[in-house]
Amino acid sequence: MMKMLFLLLILPGTILFGAFRGIMWYNYQEDFQYEWDSTYDNLTGKSMDQFQVDGKHRGIHVFFRGNVEAEISEMIKNNVEWVTLVPYAYQPDVLKPGLSFEKRLQYSKRDSTFIKCIEIARSNQMQVLMKPHIWVSGDLWRSEIFMDSEAEWQLWFENYGNFILHYARMAQETGCAALCVGTELMKPALHRPDDWRKLIRKVKEIYDGELIYAANWDREYKEIEFWDELDYIGVQAYFGLAKNSLPGVEEICEGWEPHKKELFKIHKKWNKPILFTEVGYKSTMVAAYRPWEWESRMGSLSNRVSFETQANCYEALFHTFWNEPWFAGVHLWRWEGEDKFDFTPKNKPAANIMAKWFSKDKSEAK
């Protein structure tokens, strides 16, 4: 019986476990040599606040699950000047108007936590963007929110308005430089423009900073009708940029060109600057052609760790847009990360590229 147990269970399990560990090891290997340039490091201990000079956002999304002061210090060293904070509301059903932000999610924070983070950021001369999101249940995305009746739409906007106005008050009281009134809410945004205008005007009654809406990259940003009420055309810029894995900077830049032309058209139409309210790349081989996907932490045989691809994506992004006068900057996703596959540039070559383009002397970032 012990022999049969060994042959039928223990031996196959050992082989499978060994194969799994072997694949994991293989997926984490990369032969990429990057020479770090520390001349771009900001060692002053304070943000340079170049936004006051050129009006460009140098931001990154943060959730501050660790030591806030230490993370802020590291961000400043890498020339990050905007902190992007993300409070969440929860909507159980995209087809029902029920929405709650009083019930805290594991992804969100208490008001006191946000206020503390804002105070620390501003004491270091950093700007803050308050960017509320809706978290929905199941496999659907917040862009699918849609109501069946006028009464339900009005109730949804009442609930959503309470959520946004709450953080508008916080943004006003704490001195946040900008507030995002909505993120990737495609169906509500495209089907109910008048309701958005009403909400934006209510926000303006209590908040006097810059206002943004963060539209999705595929079609939403082109079709929104209320850009005239806002300070920026905000784009969640997860455009597919390459057809192959491991693309070079030149190939990714070429992938940006048709999207750049469309973005410029929308800028001209509304006479508003384009702001990438969210853009990011995982450090994987396929990051340039499926940047919106959240791959498994272990990767796959066809999608291994690639700091090189992430670095190339960052270089191409900044090379394509940074010196355009109609481009207002970026809020990268995101500072914190869980492992080598994650979006974070922290402690990766992408961070040094970010620091280069965010640096005060942009003549060095050509």
Side-chain angles (χ1 to χ4, degrees):
M1 287 182 64
M2 290 299 296
K3 185 176 181 180
M4 294 218 23
L5 180 65
F6 176 79
L7 291 173
L8 294 176
L9 295 177
I10 299 176
L11 182 60
T14 303
I15 293 172
L16 286 172
F17 180 74
F20 171 78
R21 292 297 299 270
I23 292 171
M24 285 285 289
W25 177 86
Y26 175 76
N27 287 341
Y28 273 82
Q29 304 309 303
E30 181 185 20
D31 183 20
F32 173 52
Q33 303 299 318
Y34 180 82
E35 186 175 344
W36 200 277
D37 189 344
S38 60
T39 62
Y40 296 110
D41 292 352
N42 175 9
L43 303 179
T44 67
K46 296 286 185 181
S47 164
M48 296 295 186
D49 198 11
Q50 282 298 105
F51 176 70
Q52 302 300 331
V53 177
D54 61 13
K56 291 195 187 293
H57 293 223
R58 296 161 169 84
I60 196 164
H61 291 70
V62 289
F63 292 85
F64 290 130
R65 297 191 174 102
N67 184 305
V68 177
E69 289 86 352
E71 296 297 339
I72 286 283
S73 177
E74 187 67 18
M75 290 162 62
I76 288 173
K77 181 181 177 182
N78 285 277
N79 294 308
V80 174
E81 297 185 356
W82 280 75
V83 172
T84 319
L85 297 178
V86 184
Y88 282 99
Y90 176 59
Q91 184 162 339
D93 188 338
V94 295
L95 301 178
K96 300 293 182 183
L99 181 151
S100 171
F101 65 97
E102 299 297 335
K103 179 181 179 183
R104 303 297 173 185
L105 301 173
Q106 61 173 315
Y107 309 102
S108 194
K109 303 285 186 183
R110 292 185 174 89
D111 286 354
S112 58
T113 303
F114 285 117
I115 292 169
K116 179 183 177 183
C117 292
I118 294 166
E119 289 174 348
I120 294 172
R122 296 200 65 225
S123 69
N124 285 277
Q125 300 175 0
M126 300 183 83
Q127 308 285 354
V128 179
L129 166 62
M130 184 69 74
K131 186 169 176 266
H133 286 204
I134 293 181
W135 190 272
V136 299
S137 294
D139 297 327
L140 293 176
W141 196 236
R142 49 184 167 261
S143 61
E144 298 297 318
I145 291 171
F146 196 81
M147 301 296 113
D148 287 332
S149 69
E150 181 64 23
E152 286 185 324
W153 271 121
Q154 292 306 316
L155 181 54
W156 185 85
F157 270 99
E158 180 182 348
N159 293 335
Y160 182 74
N162 290 336
F163 171 51
I164 293 300
L165 291 172
H166 174 81
Y167 288 102
R169 294 185 188 95
M170 182 188 295
Q172 178 68 21
E173 292 168 2
T174 57
C176 293
L179 170 71
C180 187
V181 298
T183 301
E184 295 175 345
L185 297 168
M186 183 178 70
K187 288 185 177 180
L190 299 188
H191 288 272
R192 309 290 297 191
D194 289 342
D195 288 311
W196 282 97
R197 290 181 183 279
K198 291 176 185 176
L199 174 58
I200 292 166
R201 289 165 187 171
K202 288 180 181 178
V203 170
K204 289 178 179 178
E205 291 175 2
I206 60 175
Y207 176 71
D208 57 16
E210 295 185 318
L211 293 179
I212 308 165
Y213 176 86
N216 216 347
W217 59 273
D218 54 353
R219 54 175 278 237
E220 186 184 1
Y221 81 92
K222 300 177 186 179
E223 299 180 20
I224 281 179
E225 298 178 13
F226 51 85
W227 288 127
D228 56 310
E229 296 280 355
L230 302 166
D231 296 289
Y232 299 94
I233 295 171
V235 182
Q236 305 281 95
Y238 291 99
F239 298 92
L241 304 172
K243 296 180 179 179
N244 304 300
S245 58
L246 293 172
V249 173
E250 184 176 350
E251 179 182 349
I252 302 170
C253 286
E254 290 175 359
W256 267 119
E257 283 308 309
H259 306 302
K260 183 180 181 180
K261 290 177 182 177
E262 291 299 315
L263 289 160
F264 182 70
K265 286 180 184 178
I266 299 301
H267 154 69
K268 292 291 286 184
K269 177 180 178 180
W270 294 98
N271 194 28
K272 300 283 183 179
I274 302 291
L275 175 67
F276 283 176
T277 45
E278 189 174 317
V279 60
Y281 304 96
K282 297 193 80 171
S283 44
T284 65
M285 295 168 63
V286 301
Y289 72 91
R290 293 203 302 264
W292 58 86
E293 287 193 356
W294 291 66
E295 293 284 349
S296 164
R297 293 186 193 180
M298 63 176 286
S300 66
L301 292 175
S302 62
N303 189 23
R304 298 159 53 199
V305 158
S306 178
F307 287 1
E308 181 178 9
T309 301
Q310 185 189 44
N312 289 345
C313 287
Y314 269 59
E315 183 65 37
L317 167 69
F318 288 110
H319 180 82
T320 301
F321 290 102
W322 195 250
N323 292 319
E324 295 291 348
W326 50 270
F327 183 69
V330 298
H331 290 265
L332 295 160
W333 185 273
R334 63 181 184 161
W335 180 248
E336 295 95 343
E338 297 171 348
D339 62 8
K340 286 187 174 182
F341 286 93
D342 214 311
F343 283 90
T344 179
K346 185 179 178 182
N347 299 321
K348 300 176 184 178
N352 194 222
I353 292 168
M354 174 186 73
K356 175 182 72 171
W357 286 93
F358 280 179
S359 66
K360 181 177 181 179
D361 187 359
K362 294 185 290 301
S363 64
E364 295 184 70
K366 300 290 186 183

